[in-house]
Amino acid sequence: MREMAMFDVIVRGGTVVDGTGAPGFAGDVAVKDGRIAAVGQVSGEAKRVVDAQGRVVAPGFIDPHTHFDVQLLWDGAARPALEHGVTCVVPGNCSLSLAPLKASDRKAVVGMFQQIEEMPPEAFTTAFEWTWEDFAGYRSALEKGLSINVAPLVGHSVIRLWVMGPASQERAAFPDEIAAMQALLRECLEAGAVGLSTSFVDLDEHGRPVPSRYAQFEELDALCAVLGEFGRMLQVVPEFYATDITIARIDQLADLSIRHDIPTTFSPLFDTLAVPDNAERAIARVEEQFARGARVWPQMQTRPIDISFSLLRPSLFFARLPRWVRILRQPLEQRVAALNDPDTRAKMLADLGSDGGEAMFGRLVARGGDACPPEYVGKTLSEIAGLRGQPAGLALIELSLENGLDVAFLSAGQGHQSTDRIGPMLAHPLVHIGASDGGAHLASFSTYGDTGYLFSEFVRKAGAMSLEKAVAKITSETADIWGLKDRGRLATGQCADIVVFDPDAIARGDELPAFDMPGDGMRYVRAARGVDTVLVNGEVAYAAGAYTDSRSGVVCV
Amino acid sequence: MELSRQRRFVTPAPEETIEDLAARALPDQPLQAAVDSIKSWNLHVFAMRRPPGLMLGSDVIFVEPPLAHG
Ligand SMILES: [Zn+2]
C-alpha cells in the first residue's frame, strides 16, 4: 500500500491567491521543512492543519521600506507588522543602519535615528546588548530571535562614517577612502545585505546634513559598481517635496541602474493636491527611463499622511517652525520654562503669523486618551480656542502646559489622501507599493497596517485593483524587484511564508497609543483586522489573535 | 524611446564655490549675473538650507529656470 504523504502543515480549503496575479482558486497549500510542498487538492496528513474555509491564502507580504533595525533586536516579530501578514521586512533604509558601526560612532548614529526616524534613545541603550561592529556581527545578533524574515540594507551614511570619521560630514572622499568604502560595502553584501541605502535630504540631530549627502556622484557611482557585482538594490530618499529635483534623482538613478545593471528605488513618492502633477510627472519620467532599460522603482505608500504630536517631544509636525523645534527639543524642565516665558512665547506666537496660528493649527483635533480635559476631546483647536477665548497658538501652548504637556493633537489629511487619485497610481505596473517607514516616527503616526489599508480602501472600497493584483503588488512583485529568491509566491519549492486572511475584513485597526517601547516609550500602532494566521518559513508565527513562540525568521538574502 | 527634455542640472565639484560653479555652468554670462541666476534657480540650497548656500557634493544644482509643463 502506498504510504500517505505526511506534511508539517496543510492550509486547507481556502482560496489560493498565489501572488502571481492569477485568479484565486479553491485549494490547499502543504508545507514540509519550511518550503511549500504542494499547492492544489492536497491529499495526505499533516502535524498541523490550518482551516482556511472562506479565507484567502496568500504569500506573506513584504514591506520594503522600514526602520526596524533596532526593534528587531528585542522583538523578532517587528510587532505589529507580522500580525498584519507581513513576513519580510527591509530595514536599513534612508542611509542609516546599525552596522557597520564602530563602538565610538554609536552615539552619533543613535542621534541620527532619533532625529530622522523619531525613535527614542532608550530604544538603543536599554533593550539589548550592543555586541557587534561589523555587518556579520549585526546579522548574528539579529538572527538570535527572529520570527519575521529580514532583508537588511546597509546605510551609506554609516559606511562613510566608518571610513572617514568626522570628515564624513565635512568633505568629499579621497580616492583611497572611496576604495575603502567599496571594500566595506562588499563585505556587507557578502554578509547578507540586500543593498545600499542613501539619503539626499536628511539632517542629524545637530541640524547637519547626514554623511551620505557629502558624497560626490562619483562616490555613489563607485559604490554602485560594487552593488553591480551582486546585482543588489540602491535605495534613495529624494527631495520628494520638489518635483524637478525628484526627476533629476530619477535620472541619476537610471544612469546608475543601466551602468551597473542594478535595481534602484526611491521613496517616498507622494501625491499632494498642493502640487497636483508631482507624482504624475515623476511616474512619467520613470516610464521613460524603464523604456530605455533602467530600473527605477518609485515607492508609494497606501496610507494618507496624518501626523499626531504633543509638546512632550519634538515632532516633524513643526518642521517649518525652527524655533518651535529648538524649544521642544530641550529637556522637559527647560521646555516648560521656555513655554512659560513671556518673551519666548511671544516669539513663538509671532512665528505663526498674524492670525494667531488659526491657519496653521486651527484644524488640529484633540485626540483624547491622555491628559486632555474631556470637554475638549474630539474638538478642533479652533473650537477649543473659541471656548477659551484665545487665539489657536496660545490655546495650544496653555492647554498643554495646564496638563503636563500630555495633550495629543491629530493633523489629518496632510497629503496623499485622495483615494481616487492614488488608486490608479498604486495599480500602475511601475509603482512599487511600500514606503511604510515601519518602526519609525513612533509618536507621529502608526507605520503599521498599510497592507490592510490597501485591501480595505483600494480593493474593497474603491475597486482600484483586484484582490489578486493587490496581493501580487506586495508579494511576487516586491520579491522580484528586490531579488529575494524563493519568496513572494505560493508554488512548490518556494519558502513557506503564508498569510491566511478574510478578504471581506482585512483592514488596519484604529490608530492608538501604545506604551511598549523600551523605557515605557510611546508609539502609535494599529492592530490588524481580518488576518487569521501567518506562517514564516513553514512555522505558525501568529494565529487566532496571538503571537506564537516560533523563531523561524531568517535573514533571507 | 527618447527621453523628454527635463530641467538641466549639475552637481558641485569638491571644494567648488558658487562662483566656480556659475562660471562653469554659465560661461557666456557675466559672473555676477550667472551667480544670481544660479541662486534664484536653486532656492533649496541658497534660501531654504541652514546655513544658506552650503553646497554639498550630492546636491542637484539647476542651471536653467523651470521649464513650462503642459
Ligand atoms: Zn525611511
Side-chain angles (χ1 to χ4, degrees):
Chain A
M1 199 175 88
R2 191 163 155 254
E3 208 176 320
M4 199 72 139
M6 186 69 185
F7 299 106
D8 296 331
V9 182
I10 298 178
V11 183
R12 276 234 188 268
T15 299
V16 177
V17 173
D18 68 4
T20 63
F25 56 92
D28 316 313
V29 178
V31 173
K32 177 93 178 153
D33 298 331
R35 299 259 169 175
I36 293 174
V39 179
Q41 302 307 319
V42 175
S43 55
E45 290 176 46
K47 291 173 206 147
R48 179 163 185 169
V49 174
V50 175
D51 177 16
Q53 283 293 332
R55 300 291 185 255
V56 162
V57 184
F61 309 145
I62 305 170
D63 188 338
H65 186 128
T66 82
H67 297 280
F68 284 120
D69 307 71
V70 66
Q71 187 182 329
L72 286 165
L73 292 161
W74 74 82
D75 166 21
R79 287 166 215 236
L82 194 141
E83 72 198 61
H84 284 278
V86 174
T87 56
C88 179
V89 294
V90 177
N93 277 277
C94 307
S95 98
L96 298 179
S97 58
L98 293 183
L101 187 58
K102 293 173 185 163
S104 52
D105 290 330
R106 283 175 192 159
K107 203 165 158 274
V109 169
V110 169
M112 292 180 209
F113 270 99
Q114 194 184 341
Q115 169 67 23
I116 299 162
E117 310 301 349
E118 301 188 296
M119 300 165 78
E122 297 76 28
F124 297 84
T125 50
T126 62
F128 63 93
E129 212 188 325
W130 208 318
T131 53
W132 68 91
E133 289 196 335
D134 64 2
F135 202 85
Y138 173 66
R139 179 188 176 144
S140 335
L142 266 188
E143 281 178 326
K144 288 202 175 90
L146 290 181
S147 35
I148 200 166
N149 296 316
V150 181
L153 288 161
V154 55
H156 185 181
S157 283
V158 299
I159 286 194
R160 210 165 198 270
L161 185 59
W162 178 289
V163 170
M164 297 177 66
S168 64
Q169 284 177 287
E170 289 163 8
R171 60 165 172 82
F174 301 130
D176 60 323
E177 291 168 330
I178 292 179
M181 285 187 240
Q182 286 183 300
L184 188 56
L185 173 59
R186 194 174 289 116
E187 193 183 302
C188 298
L189 295 169
E190 279 162 357
V194 74
L196 176 76
S197 69
T198 199
S199 167
F200 297 121
V201 300
D202 290 307
L203 301 173
D204 73 8
E205 80 275 31
H206 308 294
R208 293 178 308 173
V210 292
S212 66
R213 296 179 62 191
Y214 288 83
Q216 305 293 129
F217 186 75
E218 291 70 17
E219 176 181 324
L220 189 56
D221 185 52
L223 293 172
C224 287
V226 178
L227 292 176
E229 296 167 17
F230 298 77
R232 295 265 194 255
M233 178 66 85
L234 172 68
Q235 182 265 347
V236 313
V237 196
E239 292 85 340
F240 52 84
Y241 42 81
T243 316
D244 279 352
I245 312 182
T246 299
I247 287 173
R249 297 303 183 193
I250 292 169
D251 288 358
Q252 287 183 320
L253 290 178
D255 290 348
L256 293 167
S257 173
I258 289 172
R259 190 171 319 147
H260 303 294
D261 194 16
I262 55 169
T264 68
T265 183
F266 67 94
S267 51
L269 175 64
F270 289 123
D271 181 45
T272 164
L273 297 174
V275 190
D277 64 353
N278 177 60
E280 190 188 313
R281 284 185 56 211
I283 292 171
R285 189 58 166 184
V286 162
E287 287 171 348
E288 291 182 13
Q289 290 290 7
F290 265 91
R292 67 183 265 262
R295 286 175 282 164
V296 184
W297 298 96
Q299 272 185 55
M300 186 172 267
Q301 68 184 48
T302 62
R303 66 167 190 269
I305 302 172
D306 299 335
I307 300 179
S308 293
F309 70 90
S310 73
L311 302 192
L312 272 177
R313 47 186 80 78
S315 163
L316 53 78
F317 176 78
F318 295 106
R320 273 176 254 165
L321 293 168
R323 187 194 316 274
W324 286 63
V325 172
R326 270 199 312 280
I327 289 163
L328 296 179
R329 209 182 279 149
Q330 294 174 3
L332 187 62
E333 228 166 281
Q334 282 127 280
R335 198 181 330 151
V336 168
L339 292 169
N340 273 310
D341 175 58
D343 266 11
T344 311
R345 195 188 278 194
K347 285 183 191 147
M348 291 175 77
L349 294 174
D351 290 344
L352 305 180
S354 55
D355 67 354
E358 181 61 32
M360 246 185 249
F361 294 163
R363 286 190 306 272
L364 295 170
V365 175
R367 295 187 60 117
D370 48 24
C372 183
E375 67 266 29
Y376 295 143
V377 171
K379 292 202 161 54
T380 64
L381 191 57
S382 184
E383 291 165 337
I384 294 171
L387 290 171
R388 296 169 63 99
Q390 295 175 315
L394 186 60
L396 171 70
I397 292 175
E398 292 207 336
L399 177 59
S400 298
L401 282 172
E402 289 158 16
N403 298 284
L405 304 189
D406 189 18
V407 180
F409 294 91
L410 169 67
S411 172
Q414 291 239 328
H416 203 68
Q417 72 264 42
S418 165
T419 294
D420 291 348
R421 291 168 54 87
I422 292 162
M425 294 186 206
L426 293 175
H428 190 289
L430 298 179
V431 171
H432 182 19
I433 295 181
S436 79
D437 255 343
H441 306 295
L442 300 182
S444 289
F445 39 77
S446 163
T447 55
Y448 322 99
D450 287 15
T451 47
Y453 190 69
L454 172 66
F455 293 102
S456 67
E457 186 71 13
F458 295 100
V459 176
R460 289 205 300 276
K461 190 176 144 202
M465 65 187 99
S466 67
L467 177 101
E468 287 86 348
K469 183 71 196 167
V471 168
K473 282 290 236 180
I474 55 176
T475 57
S476 69
E477 291 188 18
T478 312
D480 292 350
I481 289 169
W482 287 76
L484 300 174
K485 201 168 156 288
D486 297 343
R487 308 272 165 190
R489 289 175 178 78
L490 296 182
T492 304
Q494 291 270 307
C495 297
D497 299 335
I498 301 171
V499 53
V500 181
F501 66 86
D502 180 345
D504 300 323
I506 188 170
R508 59 178 196 174
D510 294 333
E511 186 177 82
L512 298 170
F515 296 86
D516 59 354
M517 296 302 283
D520 294 328
M522 187 279 255
R523 62 173 177 159
Y524 285 110
V525 297
R526 292 178 186 271
R529 291 195 181 145
V531 175
D532 289 7
T533 310
V534 183
L535 285 87
V536 175
N537 296 311
E539 287 188 26
V540 175
Y542 177 85
Y547 288 82
T548 71
D549 51 17
S550 92
R551 292 287 178 273
S552 57
V554 295
V555 171
C556 62
V557 178
Chain B
M1 184 168 170
E2 196 157 324
L3 288 173
S4 62
R5 168 139 151 64
Q6 296 291 332
R7 205 171 165 193
R8 284 184 296 118
F9 68 94
V10 298
T11 56
E15 313 281 312
E16 197 170 36
T17 63
I18 169 80
E19 286 78 17
D20 299 338
L21 186 143
R24 167 164 72 99
L26 305 170
D28 303 334
Q29 288 187 27
L31 183 61
Q32 194 52 49
V35 166
D36 291 346
S37 293
I38 295 285
K39 284 185 176 172
S40 72
W41 297 329
N42 294 282
L43 297 181
H44 60 290
V45 174
F46 297 99
M48 275 130 75
R49 183 167 290 172
R50 296 286 168 273
L54 171 70
M55 284 199 298
L56 304 172
S58 67
D59 280 336
V60 162
I61 305 287
F62 291 110
V63 295
E64 62 181 354
L67 309 179
H69 302 287

